[in-house]
């Protein structure tokens, strides 16, 4: 694959925006940021066998590489604008690249984010994306804004992606115990699997094609006090909110939202652990005052995304769990052992 | 190395700027772009053994990872502002990381660019940087602006980095013939080496610590018609200017600037080929009308960076060379076989 074929292949398919002065193909891209907006910038890299199983379809790799970055923009309450793609590939594979771009650009098109540049290098398969979004000045959602007594909410359902990895027997995923997303969930013993193949497929789709909660994030500006996206697992990520806000979090573990596939496929104890500690959910976790409950419920209806109240911010410094009988509940493990943020 | 040590290590050392609303440590960074500026964005990834020799010092890897991106900003005439760092490392090595950050932040400090975010993952050593700069609206230098009769200029000297790789015998650099920067220069036979170790060290420093020509790039806004940075070799990169501008380029090969180390270390034929085809120079190549010669010469004095007139833009579609006797000169190879832009 010659360089210019590749660049041309990307350029010809990159959607445009009126605020792009210069897109793919020069030493850099040039864009116009509206004077009444602040610029939000995030970057996340996926390495083959660490952040996705080696057998992941190229469409899904492209989708996920962008999705994890859009999820960060969602957690800031930002409107997506532009992104760059840094693609390292071991060899020439135009068919793989086309499928990868199909996935990347399908998601990009859904959220109006334009691919404006990047680079391609020879090396082990790795995909780095830097995403740019826009927020009104001073309105970006942060981790450190939670207040005592805030409700804690999550979007969607938790634990599905981790369950998918478990059902796969971790096949093809890096075996390192210290990879960023350690694919081995926090279970001391194999979970009670009651899943049939239909559940497995549904769960796998949650792993491979996360849905960044951009509409929810945007609508939370002015409602939420703090927000974060769930990439490393609820306990771990909510812990960031606790530390940044100088508070503790009390989570009602039986209130954690579960998909039908997760509920039907796993016994309660295993399900709870997957929900509390599993990674790769890419849902939003946010805090808001109890006075905002009606607004959050209205947002749930409007967005079509489930929003579930799972606990409240309390005095303390960390995340604690209680079960339906108000007995303390502690996950077998408090998150993936991870290497990164 | 725990995640938070690493993040904290980076955060505590990241220089700040008044236009940063939120730096390292949240889901994303937030910055303020001045209303009278356009935003310039570039991204470049370096993979160990492909873009730098495996024996490269961590300080130099950090330096170079930022330098190659600043060089792109220079080629746009942009003022550096913020950058993100995506670091993939095979294991825990705090001493390596500290040296890497020493190099990265030393160069960042020289040019006032702030590290505002990034991510760290487990994987083969790879460093992705996205750099952001600012230009006055409509003033960014582009590849496609060259005009018939323009002088062609380059900054600094050419061929040193390629010579360094040659002298190293390509030790430790990826052996793939299709790596982005194929370390094997375009010589049919080994060059006539007259280098002693002093030259080798000087040349190696040019390979490991390129100096991005930001002051020159900024000053060229309003003077140059077109600009590009030289990463893949003059013939190859000037070829981009030709294609983008719909013109040809005629290069006086004996006018190409050479360092003392290159001149003293290599016979003329080999030297020419290294200058014309070698990669990793990270000098600027730009075109300007003959009427601007006095301005360019004044800029040379002001910036302390040599600026050498090496040819002119002509009718045609590609780069052609002539020697001092006006005889056609063709490099043995027209650039690294590369994979990327």
């Amino acid at each position: 694959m010659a360089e210019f074929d590749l660049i041309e292949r990307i350029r010809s398919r990159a959607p445009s925006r009126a605020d792009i002065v210069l897109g793919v193909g020069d030493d850099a891209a040039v864009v116009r940021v509206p004077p009444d907006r602040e610029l939000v910038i995030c970057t996340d890299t996926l390495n083959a066998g660490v952040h996705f199983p080696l057998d992941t379809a190229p469409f899904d790799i492209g989708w996920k590489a962008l999705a994890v970055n859009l999820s960060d923009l969602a957690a800031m309450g930002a409107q997506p604008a532009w992104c760059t793609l840094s693609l390292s590939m071991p060899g020439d594979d135009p068919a793989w690249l086309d499928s990868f771009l199909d996935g990347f650009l399908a998601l990009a098109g859904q959220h109006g984010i334009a691919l404006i540049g990047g680079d391609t290098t020879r090396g082990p398969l790795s995909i780095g994306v830097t995403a740019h979004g826009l927020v009104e000045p001073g309105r970006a959602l942060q981790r450190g804004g939670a207040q005592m007594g805030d409700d804690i909410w999550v979007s969607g359902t938790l634990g599905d992606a981790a369950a998918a990895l478990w059902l796969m027997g971790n096949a093809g995923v890096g075996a390192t115990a210290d990879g960023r997303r350690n694919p081995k969930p926090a279970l001391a013993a194999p979970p009670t699997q009651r899943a049939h193949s239909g559940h497995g497929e549904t769960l796998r789709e949650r792993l491979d094609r996360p849905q960044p909660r951009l509409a929810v994030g945007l609508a939370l500006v002015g409602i939420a006090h703090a927000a974060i996206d769930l990439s490393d697992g609820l306990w771990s990520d909510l812990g960031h909110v606790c530390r940044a806000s100088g508070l503790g979090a009390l989570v009602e573990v039986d209130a954690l939202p579960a998909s039908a596939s997760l509920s039907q496929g796993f016994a309660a104890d295993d399900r709870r652990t997957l929900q509390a500690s599993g990674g790769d959910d890419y849902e939003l976790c946010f805090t808001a005052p109890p006075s905002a409950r009606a607004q959050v419920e209205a947002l749930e209806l409007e967005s079509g995304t489930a929003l579930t109240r799972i606990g409240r911010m309390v005095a303390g410094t960390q995340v604690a769990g209680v079960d339906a009988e108000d007995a303390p509940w502690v996950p077998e493990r408090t998150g993936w052992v991870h290497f990164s943020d």
Side-chain angles (χ1 to χ4, degrees), chain A residues 42-323:
Chain A
C42 63
T43 190
D44 241 328
T45 295
L46 303 187
N47 296 331
V50 177
H51 304 100
F52 55 86
L54 293 175
D55 72 351
T56 306
F59 183 101
D60 294 338
I61 297 172
W63 177 285
K64 188 166 183 173
L66 180 58
V68 302
N69 281 280
L70 290 178
S71 183
D72 281 324
L73 292 185
M76 305 299 289
Q79 178 79 51
W82 319 283
C83 63
T84 61
L85 166 64
S86 199
L87 176 61
S88 181
M89 289 175 69
D92 293 351
D93 191 341
W96 187 96
L97 183 66
D98 280 338
S99 295
F100 172 89
L101 287 175
D102 284 343
F104 191 98
L105 296 175
L107 185 61
Q110 283 183 19
H111 297 288
I113 191 167
L115 178 62
I116 54 168
D119 79 327
T120 52
T121 54
R122 186 74 74 191
L125 182 60
S126 174
I127 307 99
V129 173
T130 301
H132 300 77
L134 303 170
V135 288
E136 288 181 39
R139 305 267 281 178
L141 301 173
Q142 300 187 22
R143 298 176 178 183
Q147 296 178 18
M148 177 82 81
D150 273 0
D151 294 326
I152 303 169
W153 300 78
V154 294
S155 65
T157 61
L158 304 182
D160 292 338
L165 278 172
W166 187 266
L167 290 178
M168 292 168 61
N170 309 324
V173 182
T176 54
D178 45 7
R180 180 185 172 190
R181 307 266 191 278
N182 188 324
K184 192 173 177 192
L187 304 180
T192 319
Q193 287 179 27
R194 298 188 301 222
H196 55 69
S197 66
H199 293 143
E201 281 164 29
T202 306
L203 296 171
R204 178 71 196 251
E205 182 162 336
R206 288 294 311 267
L207 174 68
D208 289 341
R209 296 196 198 174
Q211 294 288 346
R213 301 303 187 184
L214 286 154
V216 173
L218 276 168
L220 286 174
V221 172
I223 297 177
H225 285 155
I228 193 168
D229 84 312
L230 298 178
S231 54
D232 293 326
L234 174 66
W235 243 246
S236 174
D237 290 321
L238 185 53
H240 294 310
V241 173
C242 288
R243 273 184 295 279
S245 301
L247 290 172
L250 189 65
V251 173
E252 297 162 34
V253 68
D254 288 311
L256 298 179
S259 68
S261 295
L262 193 74
S263 295
Q264 292 164 25
F266 293 86
D269 275 359
D270 294 336
R271 175 179 49 74
R272 285 172 174 169
T273 298
L274 289 166
Q275 291 172 294
S277 310
D280 268 346
D281 285 321
Y282 299 104
E283 296 292 350
L284 294 184
C285 176
F286 60 95
T287 83
S291 60
R293 283 180 195 173
Q295 283 175 284
V296 176
E297 284 156 13
L299 171 56
E300 178 177 36
L301 284 179
E302 205 177 293
S303 67
T305 301
L307 300 174
T308 306
R309 189 153 48 85
I310 62 165
R312 62 185 196 279
M313 298 304 293
V314 296
T317 58
Q318 51 195 344
V319 183
V322 289
D323 68 13

